[in-house]
Amino acid sequence: MARVLRMPGISADATEAVLSEWLVEDSGDFGPADPIATVETEKAAVDVEADAAGRVLKTLVLPGAQVLVGDPIAILGEPGEEVADLDALLTSLGVAAVTDAIIPERRDVPSDPGSGAPLAERPDLGGRAGPLADPEQSSPVNGRVFSSPLARRLAKDAGLAIDGVKGTGPRGRILRRDVDKALAGRQSPRTPTSDEQAPKRPSTPVAASRGYRDIPHSRIRLATARRLTESKQQAPHFYLRATVRAEALLALRAEVNGDPSTHISVNDLVVKAVGAAHRREPEMNVIWTPDAIRQYDAVDIAVAVATDRGLMTPVVRDVGSLSVTALSVAIGAVAQRARDGKLKQDDLEGGTIAVTNLGMYGVEEFAAIINPPMAAILAVGAVRDEPVVENGAVVAGKVMTVTLSVDHRPVDGVLAARWLAVLAELLEHPVRLLA
């Protein structure tokens, strides 16, 4: 039976997304959990996966279009399904006919530099100019090479000329897989010509008296700026700090890593300890909503990951049920997907607390801003050598400072202090994390 595929809500606050590319074309079959399309938000590029096997009967949105969450983007059917009268089917599903297909207006409409007119018209729109040039154009039009936004971004990040990539999309359109293949096959950097070695004139105007350059905001950085500004304005932050002895934590890490097949980090152990502290103090496993304090059963924790496009906070599920080694693998997997721009929708949703670690950069302590709608974030500093008092004597010790930022609406000071004391105990006696 035919059904409508709608633009999913990639994250809780997303109202629109860019349909980056179709991974399955019209009349193409797909299996359960196969990616059908790639969409981009301010946070990430995410594959839209099928919940069951089927066939793409008709795509309704061109690659590159900006689409509101919930709007139709394609018509799906059963595997091998054929439709004799597509217009009648669209009408029965309450979707516009093919001649009025849903083509949201795009902000960067390609146009002829000389006339300002669109580069191409869509035949299926009755000759009217569409918001995008024909994605199935096999050769450049007015010097433009047709490629998906994600493919262009990946090529630019890798220093790869997009016009040198062979496209395998409809009629030669360059897709993400084409860029990945070109990068995999690139043996060594091309030797620049004498012209390329000459200094280039900067693309951004530079002031005569004071040099500078403007770096355009990425979607992720804009989203981060907006959300964290809202967080500081709307969530009343308070901060608690604890300094813990780290000798036992380092010893446990060294012992676990004695197995050549295993590698865990101090951060993995901290995330595990946060999960255990949430299970011991379940009132911390909450978020604030307009109508209630929502308390969760499973402990989902976000982990801050630095990427080329900005800071990402993918979520690791049910941390309390994972062993330390399994947790390390899970953290590594979501972190790599974040760096590769391949996070899934589920990776970005949920979580009541985040862990951010700048200790690996030598930062001794810092306070972080809560990532809404989470109720807290733990900032982890570096393990450092300091004199400590032990049995009345001053000795050399290894210590680590953690700072908890808390939203005072769902969590009060006493609860947060109790939770931090539990965390400190677990970090100083980490063998309890293995129980």
Side-chain angles (χ1 to χ4, degrees):
M1 175 181 290
R3 59 194 184 276
V4 178
L5 175 64
R6 300 181 182 274
M7 176 61 75
I10 304 304
S11 58
D13 63 333
T15 59
E16 61 181 11
V18 174
L19 192 292
S20 178
E21 63 180 283
W22 287 107
L23 304 178
V24 180
E25 301 167 10
D26 286 359
S27 300
D29 291 328
F30 52 83
D34 281 354
I36 300 174
T38 299
V39 300
E40 291 183 76
T41 68
E42 296 168 320
K43 296 181 178 180
V46 178
D47 287 342
V48 178
E49 297 181 348
D51 54 7
R55 164 174 285 195
V56 176
L57 300 178
K58 177 64 178 178
T59 57
L60 302 176
V61 175
L62 287 172
Q66 196 95 11
V67 186
L68 293 176
V69 170
D71 277 1
I73 57 175
I75 305 299
L76 307 182
E78 299 302 320
E81 182 175 346
E82 299 288 346
V83 177
D85 190 343
L86 188 58
D87 287 356
L89 174 62
L90 294 176
T91 300
S92 69
L93 293 173
V95 177
V98 177
T99 54
D100 294 315
I102 301 166
I103 311 293
E105 181 179 356
R106 185 179 171 187
R107 298 170 182 171
D108 56 340
V109 180
S111 60
D112 185 328
S115 65
L119 292 179
E121 295 181 343
R122 285 202 50 175
D124 61 346
L125 292 178
R128 292 182 283 118
L132 294 175
D134 183 359
E136 298 185 342
Q137 182 72 31
S138 60
S139 59
V141 177
N142 294 336
R144 179 180 173 85
V145 176
F146 289 99
S147 56
S148 73
L150 182 59
R152 291 196 297 273
R153 189 190 71 199
L154 293 175
K156 180 180 179 181
D157 291 347
L160 182 67
I162 192 69
D163 56 1
V165 178
K166 182 179 179 181
T168 60
R171 299 187 188 175
R173 184 180 180 85
I174 300 170
L175 305 178
R176 178 181 63 182
R177 60 175 179 260
D178 303 320
V179 175
D180 290 340
K181 182 177 180 180
L183 293 176
R186 188 166 60 177
Q187 298 298 320
S188 59
R190 182 174 60 87
T191 303
T193 65
S194 57
D195 289 340
E196 291 172 329
Q197 290 173 342
K200 299 289 185 181
R201 183 178 179 179
S203 57
T204 303
V206 178
S209 59
R210 190 176 294 119
Y212 67 90
R213 62 192 180 99
D214 290 337
I215 302 173
H217 301 307
S218 67
R219 290 177 180 273
I220 293 173
R221 198 166 295 280
L222 282 172
T224 301
R226 186 187 72 248
R227 287 174 62 81
L228 295 186
T229 298
E230 292 173 354
S231 177
K232 288 292 284 185
Q233 291 172 341
Q234 298 174 11
H237 286 53
F238 71 93
Y239 308 92
L240 301 177
R241 185 184 68 177
T243 299
V244 299
R245 296 287 295 271
E247 291 90 349
L249 195 69
L250 296 178
L252 177 63
R253 175 178 178 266
E255 186 170 351
V256 173
N257 287 343
D259 182 347
S261 64
T262 304
H263 179 78
I264 65 170
S265 66
V266 169
N267 198 60
D268 296 332
L269 292 170
V270 172
V271 175
K272 179 63 178 176
V274 169
H278 263 46
R279 296 189 75 172
R280 294 192 185 187
E281 296 289 343
E283 291 174 296
M284 274 288 291
N285 194 27
V286 298
I287 63 170
W288 175 266
T289 74
D291 300 318
I293 294 174
R294 181 173 299 164
Q295 184 172 349
Y296 291 90
D297 297 325
V299 180
D300 300 335
I301 300 176
V303 181
V305 179
T307 74
D308 292 339
R309 296 174 298 281
L311 185 67
M312 305 290 294
T313 51
V315 177
V316 180
R317 302 293 173 191
D318 201 8
V319 169
S321 69
L322 299 176
S323 68
V324 172
T325 52
L327 176 61
S328 178
V329 172
I331 293 173
V334 295
Q336 191 59 51
R337 288 201 297 273
R339 287 188 285 267
D340 293 342
K342 296 180 179 179
L343 287 174
K344 301 179 180 179
Q345 180 177 345
D346 188 58
D347 293 328
L348 299 170
E349 296 179 342
T352 59
I353 187 171
V355 174
T356 177
N357 189 339
L358 294 181
M360 61 187 72
Y361 300 102
V363 176
E364 295 185 358
E365 65 176 88
F366 65 107
I369 301 174
I370 299 167
N371 184 26
M374 298 179 192
I377 184 169
L378 184 75
V380 183
V383 176
R384 59 192 187 275
D385 293 317
E386 281 196 0
V388 296
V389 177
E390 191 173 283
N391 298 323
V394 177
V395 298
K398 292 187 179 295
V399 300
M400 178 176 69
T401 299
V402 292
T403 304
L404 181 68
S405 304
V406 188
D407 182 346
H408 212 320
R409 295 173 298 176
V411 178
D412 61 31
V414 172
L415 172 59
R418 223 171 40 229
W419 181 92
L420 189 59
V422 170
L423 178 74
E425 179 189 7
L426 290 168
L427 292 175
E428 292 187 342
H429 303 89
V431 70
R432 298 173 186 175
L433 298 175
L434 305 181

